[in-house]
Amino acid sequence: MTSVDHEHYLLVEGIRLGPETGPDSTGSFQRLERALDEVSRLHRRILRTPLDLVSGLTFQALLREPSALPRLIAALEAELPGVPLRFGLGWGELTTPLRGRVHHMHGPAFLRAHEALQAAARKEAWACARGFPRAQEAILDGLLHLMGAVRERWKPRQRETIALARRHRRLKDVARARGVTPPTVSRSLDGALFQPMLSAEKALSTALQWFTIENTRER
């Protein structure tokens, strides 16, 4: 009999928003699938399982490092520029053995991630978290809601500039890649609140690291 893994995991469940039927539905599905494969390949060290489509345009993955969530989401946004995404984060155990893919695994982590995604949909929020004490969920949901509201205001050129700024440390390298001047890049990043967003992402990483360690010890 295969033993069940009683460790706790952070499961991310995401969905590509928009119609699942229509003339572009096949292209949307294939584009999402390619993006999930590429992000999984590039970030396999922070993932316990690859990002997998599980139903329609919904995908899941177990994270090896919960604090790396902002990095994972930024990578998805870079692969899918301008594509609206929503996320649910679930912290909990598995009731089935740990496998190399999310398929055929179940447990509280999965249930809570789905609950979080549903909560985000009800609130029209970018993301929510479930499986933590109520006060910690309030902190995470508040951060996630604010981060999503800022992201929603980003214009296509700002998204392009942000993706480049995440890859290049120097403004002049970003400017060269975009074919503009450094002051233009600076204004674009300032208008997108890029530095405050980086601070919020760092705060989210720290909160996830603390909360997951604390709640693992308590159980």
Side-chain angles (χ1 to χ4, degrees):
M1 181 176 180
T2 307
S3 62
V4 174
D5 191 331
H6 291 288
E7 288 187 34
H8 286 69
Y9 297 94
L10 186 70
L11 180 86
V12 57
E13 180 170 325
I15 185 168
R16 189 250 196 245
L17 301 178
E20 295 188 27
T21 59
D24 191 44
S25 59
T26 301
S28 297
F29 181 90
Q30 292 175 342
R31 185 182 179 195
L32 177 60
E33 191 172 39
R34 287 194 299 269
L36 296 178
D37 287 344
E38 181 65 8
V39 173
S40 296
R41 183 185 68 81
L42 294 174
H43 295 276
R44 57 184 178 274
R45 291 184 179 179
I46 65 174
L47 291 167
R48 177 71 68 176
T49 65
L51 289 153
D52 268 330
L53 282 167
V54 292
S55 175
L57 298 176
T58 302
F59 54 90
Q60 295 175 333
L62 287 170
L63 272 70
R64 189 184 305 275
E65 299 177 28
S67 63
L69 175 74
R71 199 185 336 156
L72 181 70
I73 290 178
L76 278 169
E77 291 173 337
E79 289 293 325
L80 296 163
V83 174
L85 301 170
R86 177 173 286 144
F87 299 95
L89 312 177
W91 174 250
E93 295 177 312
L94 303 180
T95 55
T96 55
L98 180 66
R99 296 188 172 94
R101 317 289 291 203
V102 291
H103 303 290
H104 310 301
M105 285 195 290
H106 303 284
F110 285 81
L111 296 174
R112 290 165 182 166
H114 190 63
E115 289 172 3
L117 189 61
Q118 290 179 318
R122 288 195 301 271
K123 297 178 181 181
E124 297 185 350
W126 176 58
C128 284
R130 293 295 180 266
F132 299 92
R134 190 166 297 180
Q136 294 179 0
E137 286 181 0
I139 292 170
L140 293 172
D141 283 3
L143 262 176
L144 291 165
H145 199 166
L146 180 59
M147 292 167 66
V150 173
R151 278 169 152 82
E152 191 175 354
R153 292 174 174 269
W154 287 347
K155 298 175 181 178
R157 293 294 282 176
Q158 287 176 319
R159 292 181 184 277
E160 178 186 345
T161 303
I162 287 167
L164 290 168
R166 290 187 187 277
R167 294 200 299 269
H168 303 287
R169 292 187 178 181
R170 300 183 301 180
L171 279 182
K172 66 179 184 180
D173 293 331
V174 179
R176 186 181 300 112
R178 265 202 57 189
V180 297
T181 64
T184 299
V185 169
S186 183
R187 286 193 297 270
S188 181
L189 294 177
D190 288 346
L193 300 177
F194 180 56
Q195 288 302 324
M197 178 60 73
L198 291 181
S199 296
E201 290 176 356
K202 185 176 180 180
L204 178 61
S205 292
T206 301
L208 285 170
Q209 183 177 24
W210 283 4
F211 295 168
T212 52
I213 291 173
E214 179 181 335
N215 288 293
T216 299
R217 287 173 179 168
E218 287 183 357
R219 291 179 173 87

